[in-house]
């Protein structure tokens, strides 16, 4: 806990407050006076204490920590923070649910955001992922439509099963992620007891200019633990803040949660001929093809001092790269490169990067951006253009990542098709990998939700996607839904 400041209570301008219990009135029983600046200032500030919540990932908790590199990865990347075994980098990790609003419960069936900021000597690197290695869709142009189905219906004001299953049924690429979501790992017991994934494919490039595609995995050292639907429903009602409280209290006890960090590495030349599109966010790279390689350890060891300043106002953008790391042609990632930064400029403000939790910690940001809401004047009288002859910062002429050759026409188009591209294969593989008990719980979880839709055609279309993933999967689900719908 931070030591409380001592001395007299003051206004925002620093003037001492004589009476904080009684407002000024015209006589003991008269109306309140507009000259009571302390009262007006308090009420005006109180009215503005909230900023727009995140459209997605609104409900979150975070902590500071340390990433320690345990393996030499210089053969794949020239990133400075990955340059030496034993090197440590300060981090900030924000966990979140996706669909719920700021006041929703933690223990719900929903993907969990896993947004990690590395405060490197070359600037901040943000890795914005989830607790699942895949996602519901593969193109960012569908993202607003998808999220609209998860949020409150414009007429009823509630989440509607019709909307959810209508969209998923008409978007067969969602079948893999939906199978993840309604399985046992759909409701983690805590933030500490779940894995994290970069989910997208990213570029690593080494000092020789060679390009590699990578996927990040963060495997919990606390072990995977999950909640059943019944357990989650009870916990949500009794303690809506369960996951946030668990994270904070574990760090306060000195039980620092940690994750073993792994990467899958694909030489760039493999991508074009790989059996499915390696940049498709709805698919994983089988470990038999590209085994995970352990490269480090992430530990969380310090709680924020102020949730609003450091968790609510924290910003993460997948466009925040450092030398040696870059984007891939993943169409979901490409959309997020714009959308995340744009969301933060709207929600927190154009100078959000100046806030302590967001600004670089291991270097200094040198830009020519000036002014705007809450600009603090840090540049003083320095010139605000480049090039200049007054000693201002200059471009390096060294790109952060390697350029990729492109061909074709500028048109709305699907990603290139690979030999085994299919929306259902990996969902079926996941289903067949489950134990009999896990299959029963998965089918029951899905059936309970599908049974709520109002139209038979929506239910039938939803079930058919799972039938195409695996005949037994569809047969069981069809029977369970019919039993519930009568």
């Amino acid at each position: 806990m931070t030591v409380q400041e001592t001395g007299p209570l003051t206004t925002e301008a620093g003037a001492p407050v004589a009476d904080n219990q009684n407002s000024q009135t015209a006589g003991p029983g008269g109306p309140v006076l507009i000259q009571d600046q302390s009262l007006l200032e308090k009420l005006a500030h109180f009215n503005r204490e909230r900023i727009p919540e995140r459209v997605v990932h609104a409900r979150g908790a975070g902590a500071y920590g340390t990433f320690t590199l345990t393996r030499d990865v210089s053969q794949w990347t020239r990133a400075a923070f990955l340059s030496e075994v034993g090197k440590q980098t300060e981090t900030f990790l924000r966990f979140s649910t996706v669909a719920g609003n700021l006041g929703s419960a933690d223990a719900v069936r929903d993907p969990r955001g896993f947004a990690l900021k590395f405060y490197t000597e070359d600037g901040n690197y943000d890795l914005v992922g989830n607790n699942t290695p895949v996602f519901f869709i593969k193109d960012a142009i569908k993202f607003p439509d998808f999220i609209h189905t998860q949020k409150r219906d414009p007429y009823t004001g509630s989440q509607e099963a019709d909307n959810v299953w209508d969209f998923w049924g008409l978007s067969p690429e969602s079948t893999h992620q939906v199978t993840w979501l309604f399985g046992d790992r759909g409701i983690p017991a805590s933030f500490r007891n779940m894995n994290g994934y970069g989910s997208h494919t990213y570029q690593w490039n080494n000092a020789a200019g060679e390009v590699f595609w990578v996927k990040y995995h963060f495997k919990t050292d606390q072990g995977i633990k999950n909640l059943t639907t019944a357990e989650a429903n009870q916990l949500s009602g009794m303690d809506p803040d369960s996951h946030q409280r668990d994270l904070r209290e574990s760090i306060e006890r000195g039980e620092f949660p940690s994750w073993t960090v792994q990467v899958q590495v694909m030489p760039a030349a493999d991508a074009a001929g790989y059996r499915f599109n390696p940049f498709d966010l709805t698919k994983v790279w089988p470990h038999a093809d590209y085994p995970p390689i352990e490269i480090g350890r992430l530990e969380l060891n310090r709680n924020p001092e102020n949730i609003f300043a450091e968790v609510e106002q924290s910003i993460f953008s997948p466009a925040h790269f450092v030398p040696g790391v870059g984007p891939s042609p993943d169409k979901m990632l490409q959309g997020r490169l714009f959308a995340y930064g744009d969301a933060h400029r709207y929600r927190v403000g154009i100078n959000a990067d100046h806030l302590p939790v967001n600004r670089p910690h291991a270097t200094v940001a040198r830009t020519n951006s000036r002014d705007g809401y809450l600009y603090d004047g840090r540049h003083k009288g320095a010139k605000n253009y480049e090039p200049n002859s007054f000693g201002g910062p200059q471009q390096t002429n060294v790109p952060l990542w390697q350029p990729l050759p492109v061909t074709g026409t500028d048109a709305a188009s699907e990603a290139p098709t690979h030999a085994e591209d299919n929306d259902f294969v990996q969902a079926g593989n996941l289903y067949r990998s489950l134990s009999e008990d896990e299959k029963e719980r998965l089918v029951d979880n899905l059936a309970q939700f599908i049974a709520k839709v109002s139209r038979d055609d929506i239910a039938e279309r939803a079930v058919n996607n799972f039938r195409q993933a695996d005949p037994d999967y569809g047969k069981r689900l069809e029977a369970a839904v019919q039993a519930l719908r009568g």
Side-chain angles (χ1 to χ4, degrees), residues 13 159 172 191 220 224 230 245 263 278 287 315 365-366 397 440 471 484:
Q159 186 190 62
F191 292 134
T220 175
I224 295 289
R245 188 188 321 281
V263 293
H287 291 185
I315 64 172
R366 302 177 185 87
N397 296 314
E440 289 182 4
L484 290 170

Side-chain angles (χ1 to χ4, degrees), residues 226-470:
N226 306 299
L227 299 172
T228 65
T229 301
E231 290 170 338
N233 289 342
Q234 182 180 25
L235 184 58
S236 293
M238 296 176 61
D239 183 10
D241 303 322
S242 57
H243 289 31
Q244 301 187 27
R245 188 188 321 281
D246 174 85
L247 177 65
R248 184 186 68 251
E249 291 181 351
S250 70
I251 294 175
E252 289 175 346
R253 292 192 303 268
E255 299 175 8
F256 301 142
S258 63
W259 287 260
T260 297
V261 185
Q262 303 172 338
V263 293
Q264 290 178 281
V265 181
M266 174 188 290
D270 290 8
Y274 191 49
R275 52 200 175 99
F276 57 84
N277 180 5
F279 310 115
D280 182 347
L281 185 56
T282 67
K283 294 181 175 65
V284 298
W285 296 354
H287 291 185
D289 292 353
Y290 297 98
I293 302 165
E294 182 176 330
I295 67 164
R297 182 174 183 270
L298 173 68
E299 178 187 89
L300 299 183
N301 47 38
R302 179 165 65 91
N303 283 319
E305 295 290 344
N306 184 280
I307 298 299
F308 180 81
E310 298 167 84
V311 179
E312 183 65 12
Q313 291 195 128
S314 64
I315 64 172
F316 300 84
S317 171
H320 289 169
F321 293 113
V322 293
V325 185
S328 78
D330 176 343
K331 295 183 78 172
M332 273 297 298
L333 173 60
Q334 291 285 318
R336 283 173 165 158
L337 296 179
F338 161 76
Y340 275 62
D342 189 59
H344 302 318
R345 285 186 285 271
Y346 159 72
R347 196 180 64 86
V348 187
I350 195 63
N351 287 305
D353 289 296
H354 293 186
L355 296 172
V357 68
N358 299 323
R359 68 189 179 213
H361 289 192
T363 186
V364 176
R366 302 177 185 87
T367 76
N368 290 316
S369 298
R370 298 289 192 275
D371 307 338
Y373 186 60
L374 292 183
Y375 175 62
D376 60 6
R378 65 181 55 201
H379 300 91
K380 298 183 171 41
K383 303 299 183 184
N384 62 346
Y385 57 91
E386 194 278 336
N388 73 56
S389 61
F390 293 86
Q394 300 175 347
Q395 64 186 40
T396 66
N397 296 314
V398 181
L400 302 188
W401 60 83
Q402 290 297 109
L404 299 178
V406 295
T407 59
T409 58
D410 54 344
S413 55
E414 296 183 14
T417 301
H418 292 236
E420 296 183 21
D421 275 336
N422 182 288
D423 289 329
F424 305 108
V425 169
Q426 292 201 356
N429 291 340
L430 177 57
Y431 174 78
R432 289 183 288 274
S433 73
L434 303 177
S435 68
E436 187 61 28
D437 286 346
E438 289 172 325
K439 289 179 180 177
E440 289 182 4
R441 289 190 293 270
L442 167 63
V443 168
D444 182 62
N445 291 335
L446 285 166
Q448 293 288 340
F449 195 11
I450 296 175
K452 295 179 180 179
V453 303
S454 64
R455 285 167 36 189
D456 289 342
D457 65 309
I458 294 178
E460 291 168 2
R461 189 164 50 241
V463 170
N464 188 55
N465 281 344
F466 300 102
R467 183 182 296 112
Q468 293 188 69
D470 185 276

